[in-house]
Amino acid sequence: MATTIVGTTIALSADLPVKAPAYAPPVAARYNWTGSYIGGHIGYGWGSDPIDLTPFTVFPAGTVPLSLADNPRGVLGGVQYGTNWQFNRFVLGWDSDFSFSNIKASQTIFTAPGGIATGTSAEQKLDWLSTTRGRLGYLLADNLLLFGTGGLASGRTSQHSRYSLYPCKQGQVQR
């Protein structure tokens, strides 16, 4: 006697445990130099050039000093801004900055050779400075840019000098 048994079963997968997906670290975004920026700066500046004076020939030698107000120094601060555009491994851009300055020097000297009393005063000051530059660079790595830059610099300086003559005899005090 031959017997045949046929059966069907339904299996539902909702009851099966789910395997967690394999961990994949997040992909870092590719570094991009394209964009604009703005920032501020503050610093200290100094120099070594004096105001050179031309002595008057009508005064005895030593009456008017040859130079005054050397070693200007002071604080400066301002804003800088610019834009970059990246094309594959090349970066084009421009930068500008503007700084107000308090870099200055002043000096007054009184002399009285040959009985002629004089006072000589001088002041030099850097009021402001600004630069604008273009930039062309090549990316050696995503975050390492080798670049060259060139542009224009401008500023405002002021120099003032004054000679005061006090005609009095040596030993006499003028009031």
Side-chain angles (χ1 to χ4, degrees), residues 95-118:
D95 298 306
S96 288
D97 57 69
F98 185 87
S99 299
F100 290 103
S101 169
N102 192 30
I103 299 174
K104 63 183 177 180
S106 62
Q107 186 176 9
T108 300
I109 294 180
F110 294 100
T111 59
I116 299 175
T118 63

Side-chain angles (χ1 to χ4, degrees), residues 6-7 41 44 59 80 86-87 108 118 120 123-124 139 151 164:
V6 176
H41 60 270
Y44 187 79
F59 297 128
Q80 59 214 36
Q86 182 175 344
F87 304 98
T108 300
T118 63
T120 307
E123 178 185 57
Q124 62 174 316
L139 289 168
S164 300

Side-chain angles (χ1 to χ4, degrees), residues 34-99:
T34 298
S36 298
Y37 60 90
I38 186 167
H41 60 270
I42 188 165
Y44 187 79
W46 63 92
S48 61
D49 290 333
I51 297 176
D52 293 324
L53 304 173
T54 303
F56 291 105
T57 56
V58 296
F59 297 128
T63 304
V64 177
L66 298 177
S67 65
L68 284 175
D70 59 344
N71 298 319
R73 54 194 70 230
V75 175
L76 68 141
V79 63
Q80 59 214 36
Y81 45 92
T83 299
N84 291 316
W85 298 275
Q86 182 175 344
F87 304 98
N88 295 324
R89 304 297 292 170
F90 291 95
V91 176
L92 295 174
W94 65 270
D95 298 306
S96 288
D97 57 69
F98 185 87
S99 299

Side-chain angles (χ1 to χ4, degrees), residues 58-60 63 110-119 163-175:
V58 296
F59 297 128
T63 304
F110 294 100
T111 59
I116 299 175
T118 63
Y163 303 100
S164 300
L165 178 63
Y166 306 104
C168 58
K169 295 180 183 172
Q170 195 166 6
Q172 180 184 4
V173 177
Q174 183 177 4
R175 295 182 195 254

Side-chain angles (χ1 to χ4, degrees), residues 20-27:
Y23 174 75
V27 178

Side-chain angles (χ1 to χ4, degrees), residues 2-43:
T3 308
T4 306
I5 300 177
V6 176
T8 60
T9 313
I10 298 175
L12 300 174
S13 63
D15 300 352
L16 296 174
V18 177
K19 280 182 140 183
Y23 174 75
V27 178
R30 183 172 168 91
Y31 201 87
N32 190 334
W33 287 76
T34 298
S36 298
Y37 60 90
I38 186 167
H41 60 270
I42 188 165

